[in-house]
Amino acid sequence: MAPRFNFLLHAFLCLALATTSFSFSPKFYDNVFEAAVHREPQMGASLLRLHFHDCFVNGCDGSLLLDSTSILETEKNARGNFNSVRGFEVVDQIKAEVDRICGRPVVSCADILAVAARDSVVVLGGPTWKVRLGRRDSTTASRALADNVLPSASMDLPALINNFKNQGLNKRDLVALSGGHTIGLSQCIIFRNRIYNATNIDPAFAKERRTTCPRTGGNTNLAPFDPTPARFDTTYFKNLVKERGPLTSDQALFSGGSTDKLVESYSKNTDAFWVGFGKSMIKMGNIKPLTGNQGQICVNCRKVN
């Protein structure tokens, strides 16, 4: 590993211990996140999604990373996560290297998720924001809670607003964070009902999606959320205005409801979206963190010490 990268990791660890927020050097993106994303373009979206799904289940505590044991069932098996969440090996790689250089576990898996999400967005051309550090890792996980609180792709706008409100997030956060769907792919089983049964969908878009998502079979066939799945931009919002939202929950944001104006604003103003997304990511990243003597700093992100 290059000496420059080693120096940056040392700097990260020192600053993480001494401060409450930190921004990696662009060299960190080059050496870790860009390498992961270049190997597999979808990885940036996957790392962002890991942080989101971790924070929504009892706070940003790394519990999503824990594997099942005799006393807990992993959140990875929850309806919104099963055969869907991924990127765990990248988190393991970062954790192992940071701990190796420091000589002991210092940075939590929860903090690694928060920073990896931010850096993935930056690598894909999106905004940056200051990530507050100091989270500690959970010693438990709850598949049942994940089943109950993770937002569903079939939710309408009132359900989405209520789901986010339960996390201390408002309608602006809902729209901004949904903009994370400007990167990544979705499985046929998730959007099949919309492309065959929805009335608020562009017919040409539905026809295009049906070519790779038949009425039966092909459940894991993938399609991009928008035409630029490897670039963090406003195409997602532009598509919503055209009734080309990939999921029912996406199009719900622009369907004659209270979030229409914000969607339209973001579709026309990249800077406004970037500012809103950064603010909402900071807010989401502060959902019920474990601090002080709560939790632990995991040696292995997949299991409790």
Side-chain angles (χ1 to χ4, degrees):
M1 181 166 290
R4 170 65 173 164
F5 183 40
N6 284 337
F7 170 77
L8 290 169
L9 282 172
H10 279 297
F12 163 64
L13 292 171
C14 293
L15 287 170
L17 290 172
T19 67
T20 59
S21 65
F22 182 67
S23 293
F24 280 133
S25 160
K27 286 293 183 181
F28 191 90
Y29 314 148
D30 295 341
N31 284 279
V32 178
F33 299 104
E34 281 193 11
V37 172
H38 286 163
R39 285 194 303 270
E40 189 175 357
Q42 191 184 354
M43 188 54 67
S46 297
L47 293 170
L48 175 60
R49 191 162 181 258
L50 278 182
H51 181 44
F52 185 104
H53 281 220
D54 179 47
C55 289
F56 263 55
V57 183
N58 208 32
C60 308
D61 59 5
S63 60
L64 175 55
L65 303 175
L66 294 173
D67 288 336
S68 290
T69 69
S70 59
I71 59 173
L72 68 84
E73 184 173 6
T74 178
E75 293 168 17
K76 298 172 186 176
N77 290 340
R79 283 190 296 270
N81 293 332
F82 187 66
N83 285 336
S84 176
V85 290
R86 52 198 296 281
F88 302 106
E89 70 285 354
V90 177
V91 175
D92 291 342
Q93 175 191 353
I94 299 166
K95 173 67 171 171
E97 190 59 27
V98 169
D99 287 353
R100 183 187 69 82
I101 290 172
C102 184
R104 61 188 177 90
V106 174
V107 181
S108 70
C109 302
D111 273 352
I112 287 173
L113 281 182
V115 176
R118 190 273 314 277
D119 291 354
S120 295
V121 169
V122 172
V123 165
L124 294 174
T128 188
W129 58 91
K130 289 186 177 180
V131 176
R132 293 181 62 84
L133 301 175
R135 301 169 189 80
R136 290 170 64 84
D137 297 320
S138 177
T139 58
T140 188
S142 175
R143 173 186 173 175
L145 183 60
D147 280 335
N148 288 329
V149 302
L150 288 176
S152 164
S154 63
M155 283 183 172
D156 60 13
L157 184 59
L160 288 167
I161 291 172
N162 186 62
N163 180 274
F164 274 62
K165 182 180 179 180
N166 290 338
Q167 300 292 343
L169 302 172
N170 58 34
K171 286 189 286 189
R172 297 190 70 86
D173 300 316
L174 165 63
V175 175
L177 293 173
S178 294
H181 281 176
T182 190
I183 54 176
L185 310 172
S186 181
Q187 296 183 14
C188 168
I189 192 173
I190 304 300
F191 59 81
R192 176 183 284 121
N193 183 63
R194 171 160 167 75
I195 63 174
Y196 285 101
N197 300 311
T199 56
N200 61 340
I201 190 169
D202 173 52
F205 175 69
K207 182 179 180 180
E208 174 191 341
R209 285 299 169 89
R210 290 170 186 168
T211 62
T212 56
C213 184
R215 285 187 180 274
T216 57
N219 286 351
T220 58
N221 291 354
L222 297 173
F225 279 106
D226 72 24
T228 57
R231 186 165 71 242
F232 198 94
D233 55 22
T234 58
T235 306
Y236 168 79
F237 294 108
K238 290 181 171 69
N239 271 9
L240 294 188
V241 174
K242 299 174 183 177
E243 294 192 324
R244 297 172 67 91
L247 309 180
T248 298
S249 57
D250 290 319
Q251 195 60 56
L253 302 179
F254 191 85
S255 194
S258 59
T259 54
D260 280 16
K261 288 185 178 179
L262 186 55
V263 168
E264 191 167 11
S265 173
Y266 283 166
S267 75
K268 298 175 180 177
N269 190 329
T270 300
D271 290 341
F273 169 46
W274 281 20
V275 170
F277 187 80
K279 287 181 177 178
S280 293
M281 285 297 293
I282 291 172
K283 191 173 176 180
M284 185 186 76
N286 290 335
I287 296 176
K288 297 196 306 187
L290 299 176
T291 59
N293 293 324
Q294 299 173 311
Q296 61 183 216
I297 304 296
C298 284
V299 175
N300 181 336
C301 292
R302 296 174 186 257
K303 62 183 182 180
V304 177
N305 293 346

